[in-house]
Amino acid sequence: MKIIIQRVQSAQVSVEGQTHARISKGLLLLVGVGPEDSVEDVDYAVRKITHMRIFSDGEGKMNLSVKDIAGEILSVSQFTLFAATKKGNRPSFTAAAGPDLANRLYSDLNARLAKEVPVKTGIFAADMQVELINDGPVTIILDTKE
């Protein structure tokens, strides 16, 4: 799995001009699933995302997790994280997992995260518009294979 983690003051996802989900302070996740990903990748990602200390404490140091600040997560599926760009000018997405596996692992990730912190999601495979107010900005790339 490849996950872009953005620390946000707020974020929302809209579909066809209608707000589908909105969060206040927390994390925006852009989640890409690869064909080799498994339940072990989901377990690893949940552990890292919920415990990663990327929020500032009272002294301004990144010492707090999304759980520590009682934050929320907005999770959006993003197969384009597996884009191959070496050849030509049009990216290839053949390195992304097929829709059945991707949807299953994306849903599993969100269900497991929701046991730890409040989670809202986009709509899998929909054309979505994502808006955010980045906090920091702090953006982390989590690759469960590296």
Side-chain angles (χ1 to χ4, degrees), residues 6 14 22-23 45-46 57 59 78 98 112 115-116 122 125-127 134:
Q6 295 182 296
S14 300
R22 176 181 292 146
I23 65 164
V46 169
D57 64 13
E59 297 177 14
Q78 187 77 30
R112 292 182 191 204
K115 292 179 181 177
E116 305 283 333
D127 182 9
N134 212 328

Side-chain angles (χ1 to χ4, degrees), residues 115-127:
K115 292 179 181 177
E116 305 283 333
V117 296
V119 174
K120 296 180 181 167
T121 66
I123 300 172
F124 186 83
D127 182 9

Side-chain angles (χ1 to χ4, degrees), residues 1-3 18 24 40 44 81 90 94-95 110 133-134:
M1 296 182 105
K2 294 182 182 185
I3 304 172
Q18 299 295 316
S24 55
E40 288 78 18
Y44 176 79
L81 292 175
R90 183 172 27 174
T94 58
N110 294 327
I133 298 176
N134 212 328

Side-chain angles (χ1 to χ4, degrees), residues 77-111:
S77 62
Q78 187 77 30
F79 75 93
T80 59
L81 292 175
F82 279 89
T85 58
K86 285 280 188 191
K87 294 183 180 180
N89 293 317
R90 183 172 27 174
S92 168
F93 303 107
T94 58
D100 291 340
L101 175 63
N103 192 16
R104 182 169 47 83
L105 291 180
Y106 171 69
S107 296
D108 191 24
L109 173 75
N110 294 327

Side-chain angles (χ1 to χ4, degrees), residues 62-79:
M62 283 198 228
N63 262 336
L64 303 174
S65 70
V66 68
K67 289 173 68 167
D68 295 332
I69 66 154
E72 302 174 280
I73 291 176
L74 176 57
S75 175
V76 177
S77 62
Q78 187 77 30
F79 75 93

